[in-house]
Amino acid sequence: MLVNMKEMLADAAKNNYAVGGFNCSSLESGMAAVRASEETGMPFVLQFAPVHEQYLAMSVAGPLMLQLARAAKTPVAVHLDHGSSVEVCLRALAMGFTSVMFDGSALSYEDNKAATAAVAKTAHALGATIEAELGSMPHNYNGELGNYAPEDFYTKPEDAAEFAGDTGVDALAISFGTVHGIYKTTPKLSFDVIKKVRAATNGLPLVMHGGSGLTDADYREAVSCGIRKVNYYTYGAIAGGRGVYDLVKEKPEGLQFHDIAVRATKAIADDAARVMRVLAGKI
Ligand SMILES: [Zn+2]
């Protein structure tokens, strides 16, 4: 069923678990996430990242995701991931997305706050929820931070408290040492940052981006400290690729494309179900 993130995140906080945020970059990845959710009974966030426009246009992904959510037996929020402009957030809300992320992390603190507050007002008027980001998450650094130390990127608890109060966001993505994509070095996570931001924001649901490639123990610790949503994409996409590779080895001749789509969907769904169980504390 189609929902926004409000009750989903409140229930996660009450029962100390996190929901997954799974990106829909193809019909198969969207179907796989729904299958994993129905198999595990876990609600989740089906999200579209504009960076994936090259694989699937948002104009097609939006109606597809909304239909997948409506038809699902479990609660599914349809969310825009990393909306980098107010305009793209408003476009998603107009399409019926039940949630948006405005990512102003590259802006100055004041500009991020003002734009986030504007999007939050519209989102709430439409019954949708909003996630924002504070503290910069290294993009495309692949774990190599150059001259920076991991703590240079951490979210400051005092900023988070003011930002949350002034914008009214429903969830906040914070920076505590994760990076997007594939980790080339062992990530240095500061769980203390999560605890301090959680305390400073009176338990606002916190979001972890760059969820791929961490250990199960890292996930469990992050959840116990206050992470309520974990964005997960890269390793699921790799699981899909591996499933297809195995299929090609099993049947090098006469393979039909629908067989590839079916195998990829199963591999991504199996991986997503495992992640959902870890986030639920069931593994
Ligand atoms: Zn992200």
Side-chain angles (χ1 to χ4, degrees):
M1 73 210 76
L2 177 64
V3 300
N4 65 27
M5 296 202 305
K6 191 91 187 165
E7 280 167 26
M8 188 185 284
L9 294 177
D11 189 67
K14 194 173 147 211
N15 295 299
N16 197 32
Y17 67 91
V19 297
F22 293 89
N23 288 92
C24 181
S25 61
S26 61
L27 170 63
E28 288 76 18
S29 56
M31 285 168 54
V34 171
R35 188 185 297 178
S37 171
E38 292 183 337
E39 193 184 303
T40 59
M42 287 284 289
F44 81 103
V45 180
L46 182 60
Q47 52 191 34
F48 179 77
V51 70
H52 291 151
E53 281 268 0
Q54 58 188 314
Y55 313 125
L56 184 66
M58 182 166 148
S59 60
V60 176
L64 168 65
M65 291 158 67
L66 289 164
Q67 184 51 33
L68 284 170
R70 286 189 200 103
K73 297 185 183 77
T74 45
V76 180
V78 171
H79 176 79
L80 175 72
D81 186 27
H82 287 287
S84 56
S85 67
V86 172
E87 185 274 330
V88 72
C89 291
L90 298 184
R91 188 148 51 95
L93 291 168
M95 287 175 78
F97 282 48
T98 56
S99 190
V100 290
M101 174 195 190
F102 175 70
D103 179 1
S105 61
L107 303 174
S108 71
Y109 172 79
E110 289 300 333
D111 288 350
N112 184 6
K113 197 169 76 170
T116 299
V119 176
K121 208 171 161 197
T122 305
H124 289 153
L126 293 167
T129 44
I130 174 169
E131 172 186 337
E133 180 167 329
L134 192 60
S136 57
M137 180 103 38
H139 276 271
N140 306 320
Y141 280 96
N142 288 333
E144 291 164 349
L145 299 175
N147 293 326
Y148 293 97
E151 50 271 27
D152 291 338
F153 297 97
Y154 290 169
T155 304
K156 295 182 181 64
E158 60 278 15
D159 286 354
E162 186 192 80
F163 188 93
D166 288 355
T167 60
V169 291
D170 302 286
L172 186 66
I174 61 166
S175 177
F176 61 98
T178 61
V179 297
H180 289 99
I182 296 170
Y183 290 89
K184 286 193 178 163
T185 57
T186 308
K188 293 184 187 67
L189 305 183
S190 172
F191 296 107
D192 215 35
V193 171
I194 309 175
K195 283 187 213 159
K196 285 180 177 157
V197 174
R198 180 197 196 181
T201 56
N202 294 320
L204 182 70
L206 304 178
V207 183
M208 174 165 96
H209 284 235
S212 281
L214 302 180
T215 65
D216 290 353
D218 286 337
Y219 285 130
R220 282 186 209 105
E221 183 70 17
V223 171
S224 77
C225 293
I227 291 293
R228 298 294 163 230
K229 173 175 177 255
V230 172
N231 281 13
Y232 182 88
Y233 177 73
T234 307
Y235 279 55
I238 290 172
R242 195 171 297 130
V244 171
Y245 177 73
D246 290 343
L247 178 65
V248 171
K249 275 197 300 186
E250 286 164 26
K251 195 178 176 188
E253 297 296 329
L255 198 58
Q256 298 194 32
F257 181 74
H258 54 238
D259 298 323
I260 293 174
V262 166
R263 177 64 73 94
T265 305
K266 182 180 182 336
I268 299 170
D270 289 349
D271 182 68
R274 187 180 181 283
V275 171
M276 287 177 180
R277 287 192 178 101
V278 171
L279 298 181
K282 291 177 184 165
I283 294 182

